[in-house]
Amino acid sequence: MTMSAILWLCRDFRFDDNAALAAALADGPVLPVFVLDAATRAQGSASRWRLGRALAAFDAAWRARTGEHITVLEGEAAELLPDLATRLGARRIHQNDWPAPAQQQVQAALRHVLGEGPVRLHLHPGHLLVHPSRIRTGTGGSYKVYTPFARAVRQAGADRPLPAPGRLTALPAGGDLRAGGLNLAPDMFRGAAVLAGHALPAGEAAALDRLDDFFDRARDYPAHRDRPDIDATSGLSEHLAFGEISPRRIWATARLRAEVEPALEAGAGKFLAELLWREFAWHLLLAFPQMPEAPWRPEWAAFPWAGENAAATAWTRAGTGIALVDAGLREMRVTGRMHNRVRMVVASWLTKHLLTDWRIGLRHFEDSLTDWDPAANAMNWQWVAGCGPDASPFFRIFNPEKQAETFDPQGRYRHYWLQGEGALAYAATLPAAWNSPAGWVEADSAPLLADGRARALAALATFNRGT
Ligand SMILES: Cc1cc2nc3c(=O)[nH]c(=O)nc-3n(C[C@H](O)[C@H](O)[C@H](O)COP(=O)(O)OP(=O)(O)OC[C@H]3O[C@@H](n4cnc5c(N)ncnc54)[C@H](O)[C@@H]3O)c2cc1C
C-alpha cells in the first residue's frame, strides 16, 4: 500500500545526495516540512537570516519541480509532527541527521512522544563524509589529533553520494507560513539589509555552480588560500552549513576532477584536507558535545581568562586599532563572512593579546557568521585559544602586523575595509550610540603588540605553575 511520508527538513536543502528524500519518496508522496522551533530561534542572527534564504531557495526549487510549496510550521516538532503524520497517514518521518547537540535534543523529544506508536523517526546520514562509527582508533575511541584522523577517513573512503531523484511526488503544503519572505532575524544588530547587500547567491544550484567555478582556481589554491586579498578559496562553507551541497558530493567531484586533470591534483588534495578539518570538527563535537561551552582539556577551565571588558567590546565593534584585526571584523559585520586566515588572527588577538575568554569571541562569531557551524566554530576557537584537542599551543601568538605583511602584502584587503568601499559599507552599519570616529583610528600598535604578547606569556607561565 502506498503511504505518504514526511521529509523533516533541517540542514539539507538539496535534491542531490539526499538520503532522507530518497527514502521518503520510496514511501509515497512527500510533504517537506520545516519546523521553526525554539532551538532555531536561539541560533545566531546571521545564521538565522541565512537560513531564511536557504528555505526560500529550496521552496522555489521544490515548487519548480512539483508545483507545490514546502510547509513551514512554528512550534516544536514533538508537538506538531506526530499529529501531522496521523492526519497524512504517514508512518515515517525522514530526516538527514544534523548531529548538533541542540538538534539531537529535538530529535529525542520527538522520539519520546512517538514512543512505541506506529509512526517512526528515521535519521539518514548526509551531513558528514563518513559515519563516525567507522572512524575509530585502534582502541575503539575517537581521534583527537587531525593527521591520523584524516588518514583514517581517507583509508575508510568517503561514502558515495546518491544521485538526485528523477521523479518527485509531493503533497500540497499546509500551514500559514510561506518559506519565501520569512524574516527569521528581525533582531539582527546590523540590520538584514546590510547582509542582503553583500550576500552570495543561496541554494543548491548556486552551490553546485560555486563548486564548479572553484576548479577554475583550484590549481592556485595551495599557494593563495591564505591570502584574504585574493578570491582563492571555494566559498562553500555557507552552502555546507545549510546542506545546499553535501560533503560527499564535494569529495567525489574533487577526486574526479583531479583524476581527469592531473594539474588540479595538488589543489584538490589541499582543498579536501580542509574539508577534512570540517569533518574532524564534527567527529570531535559528537565525542564531546560540550565543545562550544567547555574547554576540551579540563585543566584549561582554571585559565584566568578575562570576561566581558572594554577592549573586547571594541574588538566586537572592529575598533581595536589593529589594521588586519579591524579589517576582518568589519568584513564579518558587513558580509557575514571572514577569510580563514583573518579569523585566526582576529581570534588570537582576542584570546592572547586581550586575554579574553574564547567563548566571548565564539558567541560573537555565532551571531555574526552566515556560515556558522557549531562544530567548526567551537573547534577553531578552542584551537586558537590553545585549550582544544590538537590545538595550536597557547604560546603561538599571531602577530597581526607580520600576518598582514605576509598574507596581504600590498595592503589591498586592509585598504578596502579601512579606507575603501568596504569602510563606507561598514560606516553605514554603525549605530549612533556607539559614538564611533568617522575614520579608522590606528592605535599605537607596536608597544601594544609587545605588551600583549608579554602579558599572555606571563599568564601562561603562572597558569602552568598552578596546574
Ligand atoms: C575562529 C574560527 C571560527 C570559525 N568558524 C567557522 C564556522 O562557524 N563555520 C565554518 O564553516 N567554518 C568556520 N571556520 C573555518 C574556516 O574559517 C571556514 O570554513 C572558511 O573560511 C570557509 O571559507 P571557504 O568555504 O572558502 O573555505 P575553503 O578554503 O574553500 O575550504 C573548503 C571547506 O573546508 C572546510 N574548512 C576549511 N577550513 C576549515 C577549518 N579551519 N575548520 C573547519 N572546516 C574548515 C569548510 O567547510 C570549507 O567550506 C572558523 C575558523 C576560525 C579560525
Side-chain angles (χ1 to χ4, degrees):
M1 189 184 81
T2 308
M3 296 184 300
S4 51
I6 293 178
L7 174 65
W8 179 20
L9 298 165
C10 182
R11 286 293 187 284
D12 47 358
F13 299 107
R14 62 175 185 263
F15 293 91
D16 178 58
D17 194 25
N18 188 329
L21 173 59
L25 286 168
D27 286 351
V30 174
L31 185 76
V33 181
F34 184 82
V35 181
L36 201 47
D37 58 9
T40 309
R41 294 266 185 218
Q43 282 165 20
S45 58
S47 164
R48 259 182 287 127
W49 174 81
R50 179 59 175 79
L51 170 66
R53 300 187 76 231
L55 273 165
F58 187 71
D59 181 56
W62 184 261
R63 192 161 159 74
R65 289 198 59 183
T66 67
E68 302 292 348
H69 282 290
I70 67 169
T71 296
V72 180
L73 301 175
E74 183 141 31
E76 295 304 314
E79 285 158 23
L80 298 167
L81 295 187
D83 278 357
L84 183 64
T86 307
R87 268 189 281 129
L88 296 175
R91 288 293 181 86
R92 284 195 272 262
I93 300 170
H94 296 278
Q95 179 165 75
N96 291 301
D97 195 9
W98 185 55
Q103 183 62 16
Q104 288 181 327
Q105 283 172 20
V106 171
Q107 291 160 351
L110 174 60
R111 279 220 164 95
H112 180 73
V113 173
L114 294 175
E116 296 304 315
V119 180
R120 322 255 14 117
L121 169 64
H122 290 259
L123 295 179
H124 301 266
H127 191 67
L128 300 177
L129 291 167
V130 185
H131 197 277
S133 61
R134 284 180 56 207
I135 307 298
R136 311 312 286 173
T137 61
T139 54
S142 54
Y143 283 91
K144 294 168 187 65
V145 179
Y146 169 79
T147 305
F149 169 83
R151 198 181 309 123
V153 175
R154 286 183 195 277
Q155 267 164 14
D159 296 332
R160 282 160 70 93
L162 300 170
R167 230 180 113 247
L168 298 172
T169 41
L171 291 170
D176 300 330
L177 296 174
R178 278 280 160 264
L182 283 174
N183 180 4
L184 299 185
D187 54 331
M188 187 158 31
F189 61 89
R190 78 279 242 193
V194 177
L195 287 189
H198 296 85
L200 301 173
E204 180 174 20
L208 292 168
D209 281 353
R210 186 160 275 280
L211 177 63
D212 200 39
D213 282 353
F214 171 67
F215 290 105
D216 295 340
R217 291 171 283 133
R219 195 194 285 233
D220 295 328
Y221 182 77
H224 290 164
R225 57 176 282 273
D226 274 323
R227 295 275 302 266
D229 59 334
I230 298 178
D231 182 19
T233 68
S234 70
L236 282 166
S237 54
E238 250 181 59
H239 295 295
L240 277 162
F242 291 96
E244 293 170 342
I245 192 165
S246 83
R248 301 187 296 210
R249 174 60 62 203
I250 295 177
W251 188 270
T253 307
R255 304 246 324 200
L256 191 69
R257 292 292 296 256
E259 227 173 271
V260 178
E261 288 171 75
L264 293 183
E265 205 176 317
K270 187 68 195 141
F271 173 61
L272 293 183
E274 295 308 311
L275 196 63
L276 286 171
W277 274 104
R278 172 187 181 274
E279 186 81 7
F280 185 45
W282 277 95
H283 287 231
L284 289 176
L285 184 65
L286 283 162
F288 183 56
Q290 304 89 325
M291 193 162 68
E293 291 101 39
W296 177 282
R297 291 192 275 145
E299 66 275 19
W300 277 80
F303 191 79
W305 300 116
E308 301 287 350
N309 60 81
T313 302
W315 178 91
T316 59
R317 296 176 176 185
T320 65
I322 304 297
L324 187 60
V325 174
D326 289 349
L329 290 161
R330 286 176 172 209
E331 180 189 10
M332 181 166 72
R333 186 172 170 86
V334 171
T335 66
R337 301 182 291 278
M338 194 198 300
H339 188 277
N340 181 58
R341 170 62 44 179
V342 189
R343 292 187 203 203
M344 290 194 280
V345 173
V346 157
S348 172
W349 181 261
L350 183 77
T351 54
K352 310 283 173 72
H353 279 86
L354 302 182
L355 272 175
T356 298
D357 197 318
W358 55 274
R359 284 159 287 212
I360 290 176
L362 172 141
R363 284 194 293 272
H364 183 60
F365 271 34
E366 177 172 345
D367 196 44
S368 305
L369 287 172
T370 47
D371 72 1
W372 171 71
D373 171 304
N377 199 32
M379 178 194 71
N380 278 289
W381 272 99
Q382 294 220 27
W383 185 89
V384 177
C387 54
D390 199 12
S392 168
F394 184 90
F395 58 75
R396 181 166 181 220
I397 299 173
F398 285 82
N399 176 330
E401 288 179 351
K402 289 215 176 90
Q403 293 282 319
E405 277 163 29
T406 311
F407 298 111
D408 183 26
Q410 286 93 35
R412 285 198 304 253
Y413 175 78
R414 281 163 291 160
H415 183 269
Y416 180 83
W417 288 109
L418 302 179
Q419 281 109 25
E421 264 179 56
L424 293 177
Y426 165 77
T429 72
L430 295 179
W434 283 12
N435 272 332
S436 301
W440 183 71
V441 180
E442 187 170 5
D444 186 3
S445 59
L448 253 179
L449 284 178
D451 285 358
R453 187 183 160 76
R455 218 177 26 247
L457 292 175
L460 179 67
T462 312
F463 169 64
N464 283 341
R465 276 198 297 277
T467 53

